[in-house]
Amino acid sequence: AIDACETSNGGCSAKAECRRTTPGNRACVCNAGYTGDGIVCIEINPCLENNGGCDRNAECTQTGPNQAVCNCLKGYSGDGRRCTYISLCSQNNGGCSEFAICNDTELTERTCTCKHNYVGDGFKCRGNIFQELLRDSNTSRFYFHLEALSIRDIAGPGPFTLFVPRTDVLNSNPRVKDWIARGVMAQVLRYHMVGCASLLYNDLTTITNITSLHGDPIHISYSQNSLVLNNKAEIILSDAVGTNGVIHVINQILVP
């Protein structure tokens, strides 16, 4: 008997099996993973139907005949068969300030908005300058001196401009203890405050004198790209803007 499958796979596709039926006849059957009439067999792409069984938020990639892998899209996590949305705001407040509200807007995007009674870009949010003094080690000593003397002027609506001697300067100056003992520390502290104006660094470069809450004037000079108060105290950090004013850090104590 003639074997119809003996030569050239019986005329079937290379991706098919040639099966002898009756003498001299054969049937062509496509291999697993292929579809067709046996003469022509085409690879089955499972991704073309129902996204290959992947989640709708996953990408289906064909890897072989009727074989595919599922990978979750950016912004989603899971095994590809099931993908869940990753909320950026759910971890570490989305990188926003602790005083901000994080809102997931769209995939891999979020907005940061400072809460009520705070100002800033959402990544850095500041409250009133009285609160802010405590939150920065450079200015926290000044805050404790204010608290000890119950000076609350700068907790009001303002606006205020504050020139704050850095913590190490206040800690190391021997005159501070003397001023406290003599009861004049409150006057020294108020000499570092200016009312009715929130003056940024650039504003200060155009002014020569301002009056402190203590009543005495503060002389301002600007030279060689630095601002100096009363010809001795230099502004070393500037423009920490709060809801009711601005803080500048200086490297000397101003004495009225």
Side-chain angles (χ1 to χ4, degrees), residues 23-85:
N25 292 311
R26 55 93 178 103
C28 300
V29 181
C30 291
N31 295 337
Y34 292 83
T35 183
D37 60 5
I39 308 296
V40 176
C41 294
I42 300 166
E43 229 177 61
I44 296 169
N45 181 353
C47 296
L48 298 178
E49 194 173 327
N50 196 29
N51 200 28
C54 304
D55 188 274
R56 65 190 183 95
N57 292 305
E59 183 180 31
C60 178
T61 308
Q62 185 185 0
T63 56
N66 205 20
Q67 293 175 313
V69 291
C70 305
N71 291 301
C72 295
L73 298 173
K74 191 176 179 184
Y76 292 86
S77 70
D79 61 4
R81 298 277 165 190
R82 188 184 166 129
C83 301
T84 51
Y85 176 59

Side-chain angles (χ1 to χ4, degrees), residues 179-243:
W179 290 328
I180 292 170
R182 285 168 42 211
V184 297
M185 191 62 182
Q187 294 170 44
V188 173
L189 294 173
R190 282 202 172 92
Y191 187 48
H192 294 77
M193 306 173 189
V194 175
C196 305
S198 182
L199 300 167
L200 298 176
Y201 192 91
N202 280 345
D203 301 324
L204 295 169
T205 62
T206 64
I207 300 170
T208 52
N209 282 292
I210 42 176
T211 304
S212 69
L213 289 187
H214 168 258
D216 283 0
I218 300 168
H219 176 68
I220 303 173
S221 52
Y222 180 66
S223 66
Q224 295 174 328
N225 289 333
S226 66
L227 271 172
V228 179
L229 310 180
N230 292 348
N231 297 320
K232 62 176 242 177
E234 187 180 337
I235 294 179
I236 49 176
L237 294 167
S238 60
D239 295 356
V241 177
T243 53

Side-chain angles (χ1 to χ4, degrees), residues 8-9 11-17 31 38-39 41:
S8 302
N9 199 29
C12 300
S13 164
K15 304 295 184 186
E17 181 191 355
N31 295 337
I39 308 296
C41 294

